[in-house]
Amino acid sequence: KFDTITAEKMNVTKEEKALCAEWYEDKFHNIINSQPFSFKVDGKEFDIKDWSSKEIEVAEFGSVYEGGKTEYITYQNPNNDLEVTVEATVFESNATCQWTVYIKNTGKADSGVISDFYALNTSFDTGKADLYYSMGSDTAASDFSLIKKNLSFIKRSFSGNEGKPTEAFLPYFNVHGENCSMILGIGWTGQWASEFSQTKGNTDITVKQESFNAYLLPEESVRSPLVSISFYESDNALKGFNLFRKWIMDSVYPENVKQNSYTVLEVAGPMSTKTSDEIIEILDGIDKSVYENVDAFWMDAGWYSYNEGWYDGVGNWTVDTSRYDNGIIELSSYAKNKGLGHTLWYEPERVFPGTHFHNVGAENDQWLITIDDNENIMWNLADDDAFKYYCDYLLASLKENGVTIYRQDFNFPPLKYWEKADNEYYNGRIGICENHYVTNLYNFLDYLTENIDGLIIDNCASGGKRLDLEMSYRSIAFWRSDYNCDYHPDLFDATQSHTYGISFWLPITGSALWMQDEYSMRSDLMPLILTSFGSYDHPDFGFYKEQRDLMGGKYYPLEFGSFDSNKMHAMQFSTDDALSGTAFIYKRADVKDTEYTVKLNGLIEKETYKVYDIDNPEKIYSLSGKELMEDGIKLDLPEGPKAIILMFNAE
């Protein structure tokens, strides 16, 4: 449960901006105090007094991160050949700062052993505090469930799962304290680790790549996870969540995905054997009104040559000409003439035996990482030569196929591969393979967007197992949970709860649409929708664009029904100025109540709002923001499941 909060109290204050600026200045520019990061070299702790600040380079405002002032702060130690560079950014309007730490060996010999490399290792004067965190994408009805715990001297530990960063937990945390509060964001598409505890009213937080203990070769560099801190002061934790969401929308998401709602229509799934002629026939048979509601068509796994199924062709990133005799570019061009983009599926980090990438990798030392008795082989992005081949080949493939939405999947746990490579390829240096691999993953995605104008990256990893902050800078998730792959008796209630949970952190996500009736369609309301061929025959194919566009604004959970069929469930989305919005109220199948009072949140108390049910637009409620938040509106509930959508606008 969250208390009511007015729109005015949701705004970022000058005091919160000052708190962020002062903390940043103290931690990065005051050489007397300790820095927020730490590491050891040959067992000796990093001490800023032993290092000289070589230079501070200030980038042009907004040139590195939208809305941010970025500095590069470089330190050197006269007693070794290590160079530390901190890329640090302040987003003043969002009361947020972030940083990444880079360590480089500038000498001609191996460096000392770097260990205990923390991107964040410091305390915050929060006073007594609660911790809000969310479960990850574990292909369950409970995916993204929000949890609240008290902080104490007992450490609460969180991490990725076998190298999948958001399978167990989302790497986002709301520390809500008596004195001050903050949202922590972590960007590391690998095995991150974080701990929270309290000591005498201070909240102690650490963030790191879970395992790193390695020397650096000459000219070799490594990096920490990206860490962000968003400061807020409020007795209502919802302010922190919405502060973070707005920063994600303002500065993190790529500019070309901020239209909010996006609809993709599947014409060829992973088991599809459709030919070019059959797909063109499908595209020709779709009514013009459908094209007005769809942004791109989607071809999933299996467009390449394979043997028994799509999975054993992973590594063959050339078109199966027996089905697509003129190449996929024929389909992309045909759809473009109808105003559609093209979504195409790849999984390039996984290589199946006998495929092109397997054959090429096997001819080059350390390009492949194999695990005994496992058909999944990893392409070693940590190797610079393998990385370059990968970039050039896949960029050419995307261009050749006319891809406008690059759907990158990832369907196996990488940690044991990285650990094996550490021992076999990198002389037992723990964490080196993972560090270089993750860094080059980001470099690869950046390379694609730098070379294909307007390219959108769809981040899929067996659902939403890679939803960390660094990936959010580069991509959006059209497929947030594999729970939506198959039908379950509680699928629609679970999907409502998934939206409820992930919306605390990430404004733009999506999943597969199971359109059976009005209730199922409205249960699937989310900014991004992947819908199957044939769904456009349903009368609700308009896909509620007005409501979905509002989901990128402020978020207010109204009633948590979990995934229980006998509970009401409700949530609200509003524009940042609180002048308009929508509320989704779900009467689930086994709810016995005949009426429900919905109380909205985050409104302007003195403003008069007109509210209506989209199924009964002629009946308009005219109430003040104060009345809507305190008294609410009593709704009559029909028998059986019903999804009610309210719209409201200030007069």
Side-chain angles (χ1 to χ4, degrees), residues 24-35 48 75:
Y24 176 89
E25 182 72 19
D26 186 53
K27 291 299 182 183
F28 290 106
H29 290 167
N30 189 344
I31 200 167
I32 297 175
N33 292 336
S34 62
Q35 311 302 288
I48 190 64
Y75 304 95

Side-chain angles (χ1 to χ4, degrees), residues 571-638:
M571 49 194 144
Q572 171 194 329
F573 299 91
S574 308
T575 54
D576 287 336
D577 59 13
L579 296 179
S580 60
T582 185
F584 309 147
I585 300 102
Y586 299 101
K587 176 188 181 290
R588 293 173 169 173
D590 297 322
V591 171
K592 304 303 181 185
D593 297 337
T594 58
E595 59 183 29
Y596 175 75
T597 300
V598 57
K599 296 180 181 180
L600 301 182
N601 204 349
L603 303 181
I604 303 169
E605 285 188 307
K606 296 181 179 179
E607 191 71 57
T608 300
Y609 291 86
K610 291 184 176 180
V611 186
Y612 66 92
D613 180 343
I614 66 168
D615 294 325
N616 300 286
E618 69 285 347
K619 184 178 181 180
I620 296 176
Y621 302 88
S622 184
L623 298 166
S624 70
K626 182 179 177 65
E627 291 172 320
L628 285 168
M629 291 188 290
E630 292 184 358
D631 302 324
I633 296 174
K634 186 177 292 185
L635 302 173
D636 293 327
L637 300 178

Side-chain angles (χ1 to χ4, degrees), residues 387-388 390-400 403-404 442-457:
F387 165 72
K388 185 178 186 305
Y390 181 96
C391 288
D392 292 343
Y393 191 99
L394 290 165
L395 175 64
S397 176
L398 265 65
K399 286 186 172 181
E400 179 183 341
V403 176
T404 60
Y442 304 147
N443 291 336
F444 164 65
L445 297 177
D446 293 341
Y447 179 76
L448 293 183
T449 55
E450 288 164 3
N451 286 280
I452 302 178
D453 290 341
L455 182 70
I456 293 174
I457 297 174

Side-chain angles (χ1 to χ4, degrees), residues 175-213:
V175 180
H176 187 230
E178 293 175 322
N179 301 334
C180 76
S181 305
M182 73 219 46
I183 303 284
L184 167 69
I186 300 172
W188 188 251
T189 317
Q191 190 67 12
W192 59 274
S194 183
E195 290 186 335
F196 298 79
S197 61
Q198 282 223 309
T199 305
K200 297 180 180 179
N202 289 329
T203 296
D204 307 319
I205 309 176
T206 63
V207 176
K208 65 175 181 176
Q209 177 186 336
E210 187 169 61
S211 298
F212 189 89
N213 192 293

